Amino acid sequence: MSVLYVFLAALALFGVWFLIEKRRRKSHPMPGGLKEDVTLPHEQEFELYGNSFSHCSRKTRIVMAELGIPYKHRPIDLIETGKYETISPHYLKVNPAGILPTLVHNGHPVYESDDIMAYAASHAGHNAPRLVPDDPAQAAEMEAWIKRATISSDDPLGGIEKFAGSCIPGLTMPLFVTSIRYIPLHRILVGLLFHPDKMRPVFFTMSKLRGLENMLHMPRLHKMIGKSRDSMATHLDELQSHLESHDGPWIMGAQYTLADVSWSCIFLRLDETGWLDHYFAQKDFGRLKAYYDAVKSRPSWQSAIVDKSHPIIDKASEDLRRLATDDAVIRGLLYA
Ligand SMILES: N[C@@H](CCC(=O)N[C@@H](CS)C(=O)NCC(=O)O)C(=O)O
């Protein structure tokens, strides 16, 4: 009888804790752009909340580096790099949507990576390089290239034929699975309790328990990866044709722009997930190789990407490369 009482008391305590925590971790979508009516505690004029592995955070870090804007970097973990810090009460005060990145300018937050890039480019001062063409037609063309490389948080897999960014979640799946091996299960369970998108922690829990080969055998995942792989090949073809038919070296010609920032992060993700080697082995993508080498040789790459790399992601990326090379079944499931 007393065991039953202890059990019921523990259950009641858990219930109370859960309800309190759930209130503290309430999230809701936020529109992009500057929120002038919100003022957050800050130490510097510019502060950037981001994560080393997050595609959207990477874009904003490169832009800040290219523009030469000094900022305080405030790293926030995603589950892939250690824990669900985006849904911590502390970060939800900064961004109630619980997503990265967030730029804070004089205490006012700016949301959505593409809006952050545009905001930074227009607040960088007169001596900063111009990352947006002055000509409106050129600026519109640059916007179209950016949009093509954007990951939508509303519908991450929507429109993979139209948007290279929409292929990224599918193509990153294998790396998600190898990185989650380094994260303790109880950290993922926090997501099952509190993350607004339960599909994500469910996927991570399954990945942790089942491993890469079993996950790749799942028909839905296998199909999603295959469709993303094939659509991305078309996007790369089209980018190569565009670069070949224009005077480069950049997407908008002689001027390095926000479009190059977005696409360089697509290349990085394809690189760390092993897909770039696959595409480059399939076809002569010489122009794209040169393009990727050129973005990597810019000083912004060193400070925004290389210096901010994460050991778990580096290890997981190596694991994935090894598995895809040594394990014929995994190789077949990924590339056949
Ligand atoms: N459209 C948003 C997408 C932001 C987004 O999805 N961020 C991811 C990281 S790349 C995130 O914070 N996810 C929260 C999570 O994984 O729990 C943007 O461009 O800023």
Side-chain angles (χ1 to χ4, degrees):
M1 195 61 162
S2 61
V3 175
L4 182 65
Y5 282 138
V6 171
F7 175 73
L8 289 176
L11 202 63
L13 271 177
F14 174 80
V16 170
W17 169 81
F18 174 71
L19 291 175
I20 293 172
E21 262 317 272
K22 206 165 165 56
R23 270 180 78 95
R24 278 166 26 97
R25 292 167 183 260
K26 242 194 202 143
S27 63
H28 55 83
M30 292 301 294
L34 174 71
K35 284 272 304 150
E36 255 174 317
D37 54 330
V38 176
T39 306
L40 299 163
H42 57 285
E43 290 168 20
Q44 285 190 18
E45 179 182 355
F46 285 98
E47 303 198 347
L48 184 60
Y49 290 78
N51 175 276
S52 49
F53 178 54
S54 143
H55 171 78
C56 304
S57 307
R58 286 168 170 173
K59 292 192 297 186
T60 57
R61 285 202 303 274
I62 294 178
V63 167
M64 298 297 273
E66 286 286 342
L67 293 168
I69 302 179
Y71 66 94
K72 183 168 179 66
H73 185 231
R74 295 201 178 267
I76 298 290
D77 268 315
L78 294 170
I79 190 64
E80 298 93 310
T81 57
K83 57 182 178 296
Y84 277 112
E85 200 178 358
T86 47
I87 50 165
S88 63
H90 147 75
Y91 184 66
L92 287 167
K93 286 195 183 104
V94 176
N95 186 338
I99 54 175
L100 292 165
T102 302
L103 177 69
V104 176
H105 186 203
N106 291 321
H108 306 304
V110 187
Y111 300 128
E112 288 291 320
S113 57
D114 291 346
D115 293 310
I116 293 173
M117 294 202 296
Y119 182 91
S122 61
H123 286 77
H126 297 303
N127 294 330
R130 310 254 329 127
L131 299 186
V132 177
D134 290 327
D135 172 49
Q138 290 267 304
E141 192 185 337
M142 178 201 75
E143 284 298 335
W145 279 106
I146 292 178
K147 193 160 175 4
R148 204 165 166 176
T150 294
I151 300 179
S152 157
S153 31
D154 305 329
D155 182 10
L157 296 176
I160 58 172
E161 288 90 5
K162 256 172 92 185
F163 303 111
S166 300
C167 303
I168 291 298
L171 295 177
T172 311
M173 292 283 180
L175 184 58
F176 289 147
V177 181
T178 50
S179 64
I180 212 68
R181 298 201 294 194
Y182 296 106
I183 311 298
L185 191 59
H186 70 268
R187 300 255 180 95
I188 309 171
L189 297 182
V190 172
L192 283 178
L193 292 177
F194 302 116
H195 201 286
D197 178 2
K198 295 283 180 275
M199 285 300 288
R200 299 172 68 92
V202 166
F203 167 79
F204 284 122
T205 309
M206 284 173 65
S207 300
K208 174 124 189 117
L209 299 177
R210 306 195 66 199
L212 186 57
E213 187 179 324
N214 287 326
M215 290 303 279
L216 293 178
H217 272 298
M218 289 172 68
R220 255 186 84 189
L221 281 189
H222 188 239
K223 202 167 145 200
M224 182 199 291
I225 293 174
K227 276 175 79 175
S228 304
R229 180 193 61 214
D230 297 345
S231 292
M232 182 56 87
T234 310
H235 292 295
L236 293 179
D237 254 341
E238 289 175 12
L239 178 61
Q240 165 132 308
S241 305
H242 172 83
L243 289 169
E244 279 171 350
S245 62
H246 288 67
D247 293 335
W250 311 115
I251 292 177
M252 297 308 300
Q255 185 180 8
Y256 175 94
T257 68
L258 299 180
D260 299 299
V261 175
S262 292
W263 276 88
S264 62
C265 292
I266 296 269
F267 277 91
L268 170 58
R269 180 51 55 87
L270 296 178
D271 192 1
E272 69 197 345
T273 48
W275 291 107
L276 206 56
D277 289 346
H278 165 74
Y279 290 124
F280 286 174
Q282 297 295 299
K283 190 175 165 170
D284 179 8
F285 273 129
R287 186 65 192 80
L288 293 187
K289 258 189 203 164
Y291 176 77
Y292 185 42
D293 285 343
V295 288
K296 281 196 296 184
S297 68
R298 296 179 73 87
S300 62
W301 194 265
Q302 181 67 37
S303 63
I305 302 298
V306 180
D307 293 350
K308 303 231 167 20
S309 66
H310 196 284
I312 291 185
I313 301 303
D314 291 347
K315 264 196 291 183
S317 171
E318 252 179 64
D319 292 349
L320 179 57
R321 257 175 226 278
R322 203 177 39 249
L323 283 166
T325 311
D326 299 350
D327 188 320
V329 176
I330 288 180
R331 200 169 53 245
L333 285 163
L334 285 171
Y335 304 127

